Amino acid sequence: MRPFSSSLSFFTLCIFLSLASAVLLRSNDARLPSHLAQYSGSSAQHPSSRRPWTIVRDTIIHCVWSVPKERNIKQEESSKKSVSIRSGPPAKLLARYGGDVVLRFRVTSAEEAKALAEATTVLFLDIWEFNNEWVDLRLAKDVVPSLLGLLPTSLRHAHTPLMHDLAQTIYESYPSSDIPDGSAFPPQEHRAFSPSIRTSTDTESNVFFRDYQPLTVIVPWFRLLVSLFPTHVRLFNIGITYEGRDIPALRVGVHPTNSEKPSTPRKTIVIAGGSHAREWISTSTVNYVAYTLITSYGKSRKFTKLLEEFDWVFIPTLNPDGYVYTWESDRLWRKNRQQTSLRFCRGMDLDRGWGFEWDGENSKGNPCSESFPGEQPFQAVESMRLAEWAKNETEHNNVNFVGFLDLHSYSQQILYPYSYSCTRAPPSLENLEELAVGLSKAIRLSSGEIYSVTSACEGSVSVSSPSTSGASTKNTKKDKGVYPRMETGGGSALDWFYHEMRVKYAYQLKLRDTGSYGFLLPKENIVPTGKEIFSAVAYFGSFLLSDKGVELKEENEEEGRELGGGGGGEARPEDAMLKAFDLSDGLEEVPELQAGSEHHHEELNNEEGFSYVNWELKRRRRR
């Protein structure tokens, strides 16, 4: 009888506990405030929503027969996911950037611009980006009061925070070891890591472009491209960096084999990125454009023609030392890693140390500045290596540079020479403006993103009405006063290639975005940015073909007659180019852009002075 009595006692205890739990749960629900009742869950999720006798029954079954309780599958899945989610930023990252913020100041007068420029110099602040409307600054939170104290009253309330938790944003910009869920990139195991040899439209699903890639991955990927496409891809070295690394580059093009033709200089276009180490999107975009152009050869008549008529040189990062340092130590490092006169302040700005109109007298005494140009022109090793390579190509290798695209981030701008001054207009200003507007249009048709067009000097300073500063920009399209510079615009690669190398079409393209993430653009933007810049590059090449008198002979002659008005008139080469571009298989029309964009047309007309009529360029006849 003793075992039976113990079982009976256990059974009685189970009933008592189940009744007590049922009463307790009911009383708890009765005490729950009405405004929180909605969070108590549905009947399928919350045990207190069941009837008391149901609770008693279930408890007895669990006690007597030891039936396992119903598993909360959703809770288990969420706990598994939480294991794969990264923890917070490491201590080293928090120590460096944990107390930093990014602020955007709206500048509306010359006095404000001057005061802000002086304050950033005094406090050694990191100027992230600036244009003719705003200035983005990174600074520690405890420095904000000091900055505001140096500014006029109008600027003390004219700022907004862009990033509240900079350390976390930096941490999330690094690639994760977790496998992507495939929502943005459909899984294709047969593609793996290798480039596609089937069609260029598969570029966005290539594993290589799912995330930012370190230099140790980019160089082997280049070698793989050369092995897969030996007919039109070659890997070479621009030179050696300060720390002894190679500056890798790809030369893409198909050289003619007809020995009877005279040996003329090979027309070459240079597309470079990564001069500033933290601008990862510029490096990934150079790689994207190179890969898409390489894999389009033989599949598209247009792109095959571009590879036959031009050599394309792709330099993903001119600053390998700094790029590696952003991966290993400091994500926001900008300069190269060269030693300066101050032991604790390393690095020089590769885009401010070139020999044409070098303007380092005012800042050469401050090696700690993010835009330190060196103590003399071409002191930065990597800039010197690229200049030496370019001169050697023209003097000894029968090369004629006809195009230069220097990719940077951020602010979504297309800038043309000159950068060093707004008072001197480039000789080919009209052609530069014409092509720049076409590049902006190509991007707009491809993705809907707006890239503004302006002179590089206006992208480096704030522009006001003529009465503000007394300075005038003669020989430019508008008579404007110029605000004080936030930093020097001299010694740029853009101006050097245009003036010294006589590259007729030289531009600096500032990529996505306009400040929401800045240099920490999420990886989801790699493919969209690459696609829109590839559209611009396609237009760039087509424009140069028509400008040099090389027409797209593969396009049928009926298109030319149609462009000529259908009345027997001869079509101009640039019109044929524009038509061929609009019909290219590398672009996608965006229907909503053609129907509801009048307000944007007016905005562009007011800001930049360019006319858009039914999305057709109001083109000038070149003299």
Side-chain angles (χ1 to χ4, degrees), residues 239-247 318-321 381-382 385:
I240 305 298
T241 68
Y242 175 79
E243 293 184 342
R245 293 183 176 88
D246 291 340
I247 305 176
L318 182 61
N319 185 9
D321 294 346
V381 172
E382 293 79 7
R385 295 292 177 265

Side-chain angles (χ1 to χ4, degrees), residues 13-320:
L13 180 62
C14 286
I15 295 176
F16 174 77
L17 292 175
S18 61
L19 288 173
S21 61
V23 172
L24 182 61
L25 289 172
R26 277 301 183 189
S27 62
N28 286 339
D29 276 358
R31 291 195 300 267
L32 191 65
S34 59
H35 70 280
L36 297 179
Q38 58 177 321
Y39 300 108
S40 62
S42 61
S43 60
Q45 296 173 341
H46 202 280
S48 63
S49 60
R50 295 181 293 171
R51 294 181 178 181
W53 290 113
T54 304
I55 298 176
V56 172
R57 180 200 65 190
D58 294 343
T59 304
I60 294 175
I61 293 175
H62 290 317
C63 290
V64 176
W65 284 281
S66 300
V67 176
K69 294 182 179 181
E70 182 181 359
R71 295 170 57 191
N72 192 335
I73 299 177
K74 291 185 178 180
Q75 185 176 1
E76 291 182 5
E77 290 179 351
S78 62
S79 63
K80 289 181 180 180
K81 289 184 179 180
S82 64
V83 174
S84 62
I85 296 177
R86 301 185 190 184
S87 58
K92 183 177 179 181
L93 186 58
L94 285 173
R96 185 189 296 269
Y97 293 115
D100 286 8
V101 293
V102 179
L103 301 181
R104 168 165 293 182
F105 286 84
R106 296 280 179 179
V107 180
T108 58
S109 69
E111 291 75 16
E112 290 181 353
K114 181 179 179 181
L116 188 57
E118 292 176 349
T120 57
T121 302
V122 171
L123 298 175
F124 296 98
L125 302 184
D126 182 8
I127 302 173
W128 269 32
E129 191 54 76
F130 50 90
N131 62 13
N132 59 347
E133 295 180 354
W134 45 258
V135 179
D136 292 348
L137 302 176
R138 176 183 65 84
L139 69 165
K141 293 179 182 178
D142 54 7
V143 179
V144 174
S146 300
L147 173 62
L148 297 180
L150 296 174
L151 300 179
T153 306
S154 58
L155 272 180
R156 293 175 186 174
H157 303 286
H159 63 276
T160 55
L162 295 181
M163 296 183 191
H164 297 277
D165 193 348
L166 184 59
Q168 182 65 33
T169 307
I170 291 174
Y171 186 59
E172 292 173 354
S173 71
Y174 285 99
S176 173
S177 58
D178 299 332
I179 300 175
D181 58 9
S183 58
F185 303 94
Q188 297 186 20
E189 286 76 4
H190 67 277
R191 294 286 300 280
F193 183 71
S194 63
S196 168
I197 58 176
R198 276 175 278 181
T199 172
S200 61
T201 58
D202 291 337
T203 306
E204 62 184 278
S205 60
N206 192 295
V207 172
F208 186 81
F209 300 107
R210 292 186 183 179
D211 221 326
Y212 294 105
Q213 304 297 344
L215 191 65
T216 53
V217 173
I218 293 175
V219 174
W221 185 72
F222 272 9
R223 296 194 183 103
L224 185 59
L225 287 177
V226 173
S227 65
L228 289 174
F229 306 99
T231 58
H232 55 285
V233 182
R234 283 149 288 167
L235 174 64
F236 69 99
N237 181 22
I238 294 291
I240 305 298
T241 68
Y242 175 79
E243 293 184 342
R245 293 183 176 88
D246 291 340
I247 305 176
L250 287 180
R251 187 187 297 271
V252 181
V254 181
H255 287 221
T257 57
N258 189 348
S259 58
E260 297 180 359
K261 293 184 179 180
S263 178
T264 58
R266 178 68 171 174
K267 296 186 292 290
T268 301
I269 299 170
V270 177
I271 302 179
S275 294
H276 296 147
R278 59 191 177 188
E279 298 170 5
W280 285 6
I281 190 63
S282 67
T283 297
S284 67
T285 302
V286 171
N287 291 333
Y288 186 97
V289 173
Y291 175 74
T292 309
L293 191 61
I294 289 169
T295 55
S296 296
Y297 177 72
K299 304 181 182 69
S300 164
R301 289 178 296 177
K302 173 187 173 180
F303 296 121
T304 300
K305 185 70 174 179
L306 292 179
L307 293 186
E308 292 174 347
E309 295 295 334
F310 302 107
D311 270 0
W312 301 77
V313 174
F314 295 95
I315 310 172
T317 173
L318 182 61
N319 185 9

Side-chain angles (χ1 to χ4, degrees), residues 363-417:
S363 56
K364 70 177 184 180
N366 183 14
C368 297
S369 170
E370 292 289 349
S371 57
F372 177 59
E375 297 180 355
Q376 61 185 7
F378 286 121
Q379 185 179 3
V381 172
E382 293 79 7
S383 298
M384 173 61 79
R385 295 292 177 265
L386 181 57
E388 292 174 342
W389 169 82
K391 288 182 177 180
N392 183 70
E393 289 291 292
T394 57
E395 295 172 1
H396 301 101
N397 293 332
N398 202 27
V399 167
N400 175 28
F401 292 106
V402 296
F404 177 69
L405 299 178
D406 189 17
L407 306 190
H408 288 260
S409 72
Y410 56 96
S411 71
Q412 297 185 191
Q413 291 182 299
I414 300 175
L415 308 177
Y416 53 82

